[in-house]
Amino acid sequence: MMARQAALVAALCASTACALLAPPQRVRFMRPLKAAGLDPSSPQMQAEFEKLKDASRGFVEKELELMGIPHSADMDDMTIKLRLMEARIVMAAPAAAGPAANASPYEKLVFEKPAIKAYVDRLYNKGDINGANIFMEYINDPQQAQNRYGKEADYQAVFAKADELMAAPAFTSAKLAYSGFPMMGEDGLRGQMESIGAVKAFSVTEEDPVTGMTGTVEFEAEADAKTAVEKWDGADMGNDVMLSLKYQ
């Protein structure tokens, strides 16, 4: 198991190095997804690797095409498989909704107010890991966070934002405006939405090869819309594109 994990991590690092050396292109490729927490040695990635380790390149390329995820002929087999592994995890139907019984105050609040998760994802995506961690610590234990970081002006601003988001009403709706989804076609994206729950109405207003698909979706149940926001809002799709789902 350790050897397989090491090989997978090494392959991902190698593919990242190649990407850094390549000339910039306006082509939308997925990269390791911070918002989704995808580590190449994680159980999720290991499980997908086991499913795909013997898959042919043609099989992998075909599934990427159906999902609207671009790839190129000069990408090696492992890079292609890593891209599909990430895409499968991000687009997979979510597990049962709701925080665990032993969830922290932050984990419970994120379920009630998805805007908090979106804010933390933005902090991570711009590299402010300390800010994100301190934000979560403040929600879990405000007094402890104040004692540790209260003298820092920058962190006082983080605390103020946490207070603002915690006080905001937990507005939800069955209707969402979405953007940033890969170019998989109207039927393909509707199918992804239906993996969450029954869809009452669905439309695509724009399709762009770089910024992805934009439109609206209305679920039959408000709880399913909330699950979609929890699952996808803020997921980093690469090239400064993030999935966005906002209540209407």
Side-chain angles (χ1 to χ4, degrees):
M1 175 63 73
M2 293 299 293
R4 185 164 61 251
Q5 289 180 341
L8 186 53
V9 172
L12 180 57
C13 293
S15 66
T16 302
C18 291
L20 292 173
L21 293 173
Q25 302 176 358
R26 278 183 63 81
V27 178
R28 185 158 164 266
F29 290 149
M30 294 180 68
R31 64 187 178 203
L33 307 177
K34 294 180 182 177
L38 299 186
D39 183 318
S41 62
S42 70
Q44 285 177 303
M45 289 287 275
Q46 287 293 319
E48 289 300 332
F49 177 73
E50 288 298 319
K51 296 174 187 176
L52 289 173
K53 64 181 181 181
D54 297 322
S56 69
R57 184 183 180 95
F59 174 88
V60 174
E61 290 180 336
K62 182 63 175 178
E63 186 169 339
L64 285 171
E65 289 170 4
L66 291 173
M67 297 178 75
I69 307 295
H71 58 277
S72 60
D74 61 349
M75 295 171 66
D76 61 47
D77 290 350
M78 180 55 75
T79 301
I80 289 277
K81 287 182 179 179
L82 286 167
R83 181 152 298 160
L84 179 56
M85 289 157 59
E86 291 179 339
R88 280 182 170 184
I89 293 169
V90 169
M91 302 305 292
N102 61 345
S104 68
Y106 170 78
E107 290 167 333
K108 293 176 181 177
L109 199 59
V110 162
F111 181 72
E112 297 169 2
K113 300 182 179 182
I116 290 178
K117 175 183 178 297
Y119 175 73
V120 171
D121 286 344
R122 287 195 295 272
L123 291 178
Y124 275 122
N125 289 332
K126 70 179 184 180
D128 188 3
I129 297 173
N130 285 340
N133 291 338
I134 289 169
F135 179 94
M136 290 185 284
E137 182 175 336
Y138 179 79
I139 290 179
N140 285 330
D141 192 335
Q143 189 58 56
Q144 177 175 287
Q146 283 283 9
N147 291 341
R148 288 181 173 178
Y149 314 110
K151 295 181 180 180
E152 299 288 338
D154 289 345
Y155 295 148
Q156 283 293 341
V158 172
F159 298 159
K161 185 64 176 180
D163 288 334
E164 174 192 332
L165 292 175
M166 286 191 287
F171 172 77
T172 60
S173 166
K175 186 175 182 179
L176 303 171
Y178 66 81
S179 64
F181 281 86
M183 297 276 288
M184 63 184 74
E186 184 170 343
D187 289 343
L189 183 51
R190 182 179 183 123
Q192 289 294 334
M193 297 298 180
E194 289 174 339
S195 72
I196 301 292
V199 170
K200 181 178 180 180
F202 179 81
S203 67
V204 177
T205 57
E206 183 180 354
E207 295 185 73
D208 183 276
V210 175
T211 59
M213 300 176 71
T214 299
T216 60
V217 58
E218 184 175 1
F219 290 90
E220 295 282 356
E222 188 172 310
D224 290 332
K226 187 174 181 180
T227 299
V229 172
E230 174 78 11
K231 173 70 177 179
W232 288 322
D233 186 47
D236 186 351
M237 301 301 285
N239 284 8
D240 297 320
V241 176
M242 290 193 296
L243 298 186
S244 174
L245 294 96
K246 303 302 179 188
Y247 296 109
Q248 297 290 288

